[in-house]
């Protein structure tokens, strides 16, 4: 019995949220504020394009975005190095020191620090769901998701009490 795949198709426009403004109205920086290598510039272009598509002005986010781009690339490179260590060490990033102690390889700490730094900078560029929601709420976009329990509470408050109060 063969299973047929459902006929999925891409629907232009989709059912997602409408942008705050049209793409042509979004303020976007023309170029990064400093030197970037090719990989970092690709990340920069990707971030700018996603923010333009979301209709979010980001003309003043240059320095923070530059930090995000550089940190992201460094983190990816460090993760790659950690993977090499794990591959050459039978799936573990633990090494044995000259004194006989087992400890994580130093690149493990580099990966951890870069990931932590990246996660601190992402909200500065509206690159997390909570930061994007915060921007949308401050700009008056009413298309954001409703409060899950708000309707339930309002419904319960409008119902007569079982105790006659």
């Amino acid at each position: 019995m063969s299973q047929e795949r459902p006929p999925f198709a891409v629907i232009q426009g989709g059912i997602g949220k409408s942008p705050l403004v049209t793409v042509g109205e979004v303020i976007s920086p023309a170029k990064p504020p400093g030197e970037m290598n090719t990989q970092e510039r690709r990340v920069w272009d990707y971030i700018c394009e996603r923010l333009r598509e979301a209709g979010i002005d980001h003309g003043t986010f240059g320095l923070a975005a530059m930090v995000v781009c550089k940190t992201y690339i460094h983190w990816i490179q460090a993760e790659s190095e950690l993977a090499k260590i794990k591959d050459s060490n039978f799936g573990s990033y633990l090494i044995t020191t000259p004194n006989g102690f087992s400890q994580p390889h130093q690149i493990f700490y580099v990966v951890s620090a870069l990931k932590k730094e990246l996660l601190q900078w992402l909200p500065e560029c509206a690159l997390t769901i909570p930061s994007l929601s915060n921007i949308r709420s401050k700009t008056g976009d009413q298309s954001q998701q409703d409060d899950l329990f708000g309707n339930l509470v309002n419904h319960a408050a409008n119902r007569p009490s079982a105790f006659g109060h």
Side-chain angles (χ1 to χ4, degrees):
M1 177 181 208
S2 70
Q3 291 181 326
E4 290 186 29
R5 297 179 76 181
F8 290 118
V10 176
I11 300 172
Q12 295 300 324
I15 58 171
K17 303 294 184 210
S18 60
L20 298 176
V21 295
T22 61
V23 174
E25 298 172 347
V26 175
I27 299 171
S28 182
K31 62 179 187 161
E35 295 296 319
M36 289 184 151
N37 67 31
T38 305
Q39 292 175 318
E40 294 163 350
R41 182 59 192 250
R42 283 187 192 140
V43 174
W44 169 275
D45 291 339
Y46 176 82
I47 290 171
C48 287
E49 182 63 28
R50 298 295 82 75
L51 292 174
R52 276 192 294 275
E53 287 174 358
I56 298 174
D57 286 338
H58 53 283
T60 60
F61 90 135
L63 291 175
M66 192 168 151
V67 170
V68 167
C69 294
K70 288 182 174 290
T71 304
Y72 176 74
I73 294 300
H74 293 152
W75 173 60
I76 294 296
Q77 291 168 344
E79 283 281 3
S80 177
E81 289 298 315
L82 184 59
K84 289 177 188 174
I85 297 293
K86 288 175 72 172
D87 288 345
S88 67
N89 199 22
F90 307 106
S92 176
Y93 53 81
L94 296 176
I95 59 170
T96 304
T97 67
N99 293 336
F101 295 104
S102 182
Q103 69 180 30
H105 191 278
Q106 289 299 311
I107 196 71
F108 171 82
Y109 297 108
V110 172
V111 167
S112 179
L114 287 168
K115 184 173 16 176
K116 183 177 180 182
E117 182 180 350
L118 184 60
L119 290 174
Q120 289 174 339
W121 279 97
L122 288 175
E124 296 296 322
C125 296
L127 298 176
T128 63
I129 292 172
S131 63
L132 182 59
S133 295
N134 189 23
I135 288 172
R136 289 189 186 273
S137 68
K138 287 182 180 178
T139 57
D141 181 21
Q142 299 304 318
S143 66
Q144 61 187 353
Q145 183 176 354
D146 291 302
D147 181 12
L148 178 62
F149 297 107
N151 293 338
L152 185 61
V153 170
N154 289 336
H155 175 72
N158 293 329
R159 303 289 293 173
S161 171
F163 301 106
H165 295 195

